[in-house]
Amino acid sequence: MSVQVKNLDHLGIVAGIIDQIGIVDIIDEHLGRSSQQKVSTGQAVKAFILNGLGFVSAPLYLYAGFFEGKATEHLLGSKITAEMLNDDLLGRSLDRLFKFGIGRIFSLIAMKAFECFALQPKSYHLDSTSIAVHGEYASDADMEGEELDQSDSLGVEDAPQIIRITHGYSRDHRPDLKQFMIDMICSGDGGIPLAINLGNGNQNDQTVFAQRIVAFRQQWDFEGLFVADSALYSAENLKRLGSLQWLTRVPLTLKSAQQAVSEVSPDTFQACKHEGYRYATLCSDYAQVQQRWVIFESEKSRASDLKALEKRVRKADAEVSRQIKQLAQQEFECHDDALKQGQQLGKNWRFHRIESVEVEMKEHYGKRGRPKPEEQPQRVTYHVKVKSVIDEDVVAREQRKAGRFILATNVLDEQKLSADELLSRYKEQQYPERGWRFLKDPLFFTSSIFLKTPRRIMALAMVMGLSLMVYTLAERQLRQALQASEQTVPSQTKKPTQKPTLRWIFQCFQSIHVLWLEGRKLVSNLTDFHLQVLKLLGSHCQKYYCLS
């Protein structure tokens, strides 16, 4: 009896969602496939995503190693073996993706996913992060005149711009490593990435955020509220956005924002539907753009801020005492110099002010002890005695600011976008932030990027975005199906839930195998839980477990 066993685990779910989107067909349709290709670029990208969502430590240059023991032909297509998924295929596929245009191919796939999964977002969320890289990369001079394999004719009129991998502000606190920037627009309906852009390692978010939103809106023909962090809030960006609806956080570095959070009366605040929050509304014409400022006060953040403020005041008090003591030990040759120095001591104090300044004269004699009545001092010095007090007005102003932040929008009608909805939309900004945590997870294959050219790094970053798209779509589909059918699945703590994480589901699908028994294909170790999940995910996933 001939029996062949291969690992399937959760990869059938990943492959099913890839098929449902149509990623392989979209890529092969636009990039083409030559008769010499045993593995098409679309199939290679599918293999990339399976590798990326395999949650094992498998660096990409050991790409073929990931598929050893896996049901490769079952997942990728007839006659595709692990040995075919080698470094050469990896490099050629990334080069072809780059040459066609990584933003262009990502948008085509995102639009198809938007349609297939019937996304209905009310908001779109923009954020960015830095991705650190290891190793050396070609310099600008090295890349000048660099050409790709001209045997691939993809019909691209303009060569894509190559990013510069360099040092910049690191979100990962790794200033020793070079990096590139990646920004992403996610849907408010499940956090699905819909657009991805790459930038130089020292790119400033404030200079590109408005540009990203305008370009996205031109490509996607629908209305919606664009949400971003405070990097979007600048006079130039607000003017560039024009009539597009936006929501962002106002940086408290602005003088007008500082005044707003510190001067608004506590009586102005209203109760909020979000527990622990209250709000007050103001009008603003910052940058000559009519907008609504909503000042929110968080009960939890206020308690934390007040505790931190108390600690800062204590620290400042100790520093003020040190400065006063140090100045008191200093000698001055004249009264006016001493007085002037004492009066200037408090100019940089934040929480204190000078209560009084006294100058004392001290006579110095040649011998120790009490001088004789007729003895004249050899020299005279002046010493400053400063008394300080806490500036209660400053502390009170800081206390009023505690726990407060400002959200701004050009949607002026509260009937269309209430303060409660405003806060809800901004809280959905966690979607791209969650995506960054996912992409930087040590179990995800981007934890160490070893590719040696910026163009391949760029193409790989696009594949990272596709992996996140597949993951979030699968999680959204499962959660929606659970809610629609009023079912639950057990969580990690064995409690019923309708919002499981897909990572947990993947873990539950370990030790599932494909068997070939005398020409028959079977899947082993499927339990009632597995069957429930697969039924909820749909036929595209079921077929990989021989259920359709």
Side-chain angles (χ1 to χ4, degrees), residues 522-537:
L522 304 171
V523 175
S524 66
N525 297 334
L526 287 176
T527 66
D528 289 341
F529 167 79
H530 297 132
L531 295 174
Q532 177 194 13
V533 169
L534 291 169
K535 184 177 180 180
L536 292 167
L537 286 171

Side-chain angles (χ1 to χ4, degrees), residues 258 305-321 323-324 345-355 387-402:
Q258 285 277 356
D305 289 352
L306 287 175
K307 188 175 180 180
L309 174 62
E310 184 180 348
K311 185 177 180 180
R312 294 204 312 273
V313 171
R314 286 200 306 268
K315 186 176 179 180
D317 198 51
E319 175 61 20
V320 166
S321 297
Q323 291 179 15
I324 290 175
L345 182 64
K347 65 180 181 179
N348 293 323
W349 293 349
R350 184 171 181 184
F351 300 111
H352 294 71
R353 60 179 175 82
I354 294 175
E355 184 179 40
K387 288 185 179 180
S388 68
V389 293
I390 292 178
D391 193 326
E392 299 295 344
D393 291 339
V394 172
V395 174
R397 185 167 62 248
E398 291 297 312
Q399 289 173 336
R400 288 194 298 272
K401 290 164 55 177

Side-chain angles (χ1 to χ4, degrees), residues 347-415:
K347 65 180 181 179
N348 293 323
W349 293 349
R350 184 171 181 184
F351 300 111
H352 294 71
R353 60 179 175 82
I354 294 175
E355 184 179 40
S356 64
V357 179
E358 296 179 7
V359 178
E360 296 180 347
M361 184 182 73
K362 184 176 180 180
E363 296 176 335
H364 299 266
Y365 295 86
K367 297 180 181 179
R368 292 183 177 181
R370 186 188 299 263
K372 296 178 180 180
E374 67 279 4
E375 187 176 358
Q376 295 296 317
Q378 292 184 347
R379 66 189 182 92
V380 175
T381 59
Y382 297 88
H383 299 263
V384 186
K385 189 175 182 181
V386 177
K387 288 185 179 180
S388 68
V389 293
I390 292 178
D391 193 326
E392 299 295 344
D393 291 339
V394 172
V395 174
R397 185 167 62 248
E398 291 297 312
Q399 289 173 336
R400 288 194 298 272
K401 290 164 55 177
R404 294 178 179 178
F405 61 94
I406 305 174
L407 297 183
T409 179
N410 62 343
V411 181
L412 305 179
D413 189 348
E414 294 189 32
Q415 298 299 318

Side-chain angles (χ1 to χ4, degrees), residues 172-228:
D172 303 320
H173 308 291
R174 289 298 307 269
D176 55 311
L177 296 178
K178 290 184 178 182
Q179 64 182 26
F180 64 93
M181 300 297 297
I182 178 171
D183 59 73
M184 185 166 58
I185 295 179
C186 294
S187 73
D189 179 10
I192 317 301
L194 300 177
I196 190 169
N197 291 281
L198 306 176
N200 297 333
N202 56 0
Q203 174 181 283
N204 185 344
D205 289 345
Q206 197 171 70
T207 62
V208 299
F209 267 17
Q211 175 186 336
R212 301 293 194 234
I213 291 174
V214 171
F216 180 80
R217 181 62 183 83
Q218 291 172 346
Q219 195 170 37
W220 293 70
D221 187 22
F222 50 70
E223 298 297 329
L225 180 71
F226 289 94
V227 185

Side-chain angles (χ1 to χ4, degrees), residues 146-376:
E146 181 182 27
E147 294 184 357
L148 304 181
D149 184 358
Q150 297 303 313
S151 63
D152 286 332
S153 179
L154 302 180
V156 180
E157 296 178 1
D158 299 317
Q161 184 176 357
I162 300 176
I163 59 171
R164 190 158 53 91
I165 297 175
T166 185
H167 294 285
Y169 174 72
S170 173
R171 269 77 161 180
D172 303 320
H173 308 291
R174 289 298 307 269
D176 55 311
L177 296 178
K178 290 184 178 182
Q179 64 182 26
F180 64 93
M181 300 297 297
I182 178 171
D183 59 73
M184 185 166 58
I185 295 179
C186 294
S187 73
D189 179 10
I192 317 301
L194 300 177
I196 190 169
N197 291 281
L198 306 176
N200 297 333
N202 56 0
Q203 174 181 283
N204 185 344
D205 289 345
Q206 197 171 70
T207 62
V208 299
F209 267 17
Q211 175 186 336
R212 301 293 194 234
I213 291 174
V214 171
F216 180 80
R217 181 62 183 83
Q218 291 172 346
Q219 195 170 37
W220 293 70
D221 187 22
F222 50 70
E223 298 297 329
L225 180 71
F226 289 94
V227 185
D229 63 21
S230 58
L232 180 64
Y233 200 86
S234 70
E236 183 180 350
N237 284 344
L238 297 189
K239 292 176 181 177
R240 179 177 290 184
L241 290 173
S243 61
L244 296 179
Q245 295 183 349
W246 50 262
L247 162 64
T248 184
R249 188 164 178 160
V250 179
L252 292 182
T253 52
L254 289 178
K255 186 177 179 180
S256 55
Q258 285 277 356
Q259 291 175 339
V261 295
S262 61
E263 295 177 3
V264 64
S265 169
D267 298 334
T268 309
F269 283 88
Q270 305 177 49
C272 187
K273 291 181 181 179
H274 291 264
E275 186 177 355
Y277 288 88
R278 57 181 191 157
Y279 71 92
T281 303
L282 303 175
C283 294
S284 172
D285 60 353
Y286 177 78
Q288 289 76 55
V289 176
Q290 291 299 312
Q291 55 197 272
R292 179 162 49 112
W293 280 14
V294 182
I295 303 175
F296 287 94
E297 184 179 279
S298 165
E299 184 178 310
K300 184 177 179 180
S301 295
R302 179 171 175 78
S304 176
D305 289 352
L306 287 175
K307 188 175 180 180
L309 174 62
E310 184 180 348
K311 185 177 180 180
R312 294 204 312 273
V313 171
R314 286 200 306 268
K315 186 176 179 180
D317 198 51
E319 175 61 20
V320 166
S321 297
R322 186 193 68 79
Q323 291 179 15
I324 290 175
K325 183 178 180 180
Q326 187 179 47
L327 183 62
Q329 296 172 346
Q330 191 173 343
E331 295 181 348
F332 294 90
E333 297 297 325
C334 73
H335 177 281
D336 290 346
D337 286 348
L339 180 64
K340 182 178 180 182
Q341 194 68 25
Q343 292 171 337
Q344 291 181 345
L345 182 64
K347 65 180 181 179
N348 293 323
W349 293 349
R350 184 171 181 184
F351 300 111
H352 294 71
R353 60 179 175 82
I354 294 175
E355 184 179 40
S356 64
V357 179
E358 296 179 7
V359 178
E360 296 180 347
M361 184 182 73
K362 184 176 180 180
E363 296 176 335
H364 299 266
Y365 295 86
K367 297 180 181 179
R368 292 183 177 181
R370 186 188 299 263
K372 296 178 180 180
E374 67 279 4
E375 187 176 358
Q376 295 296 317

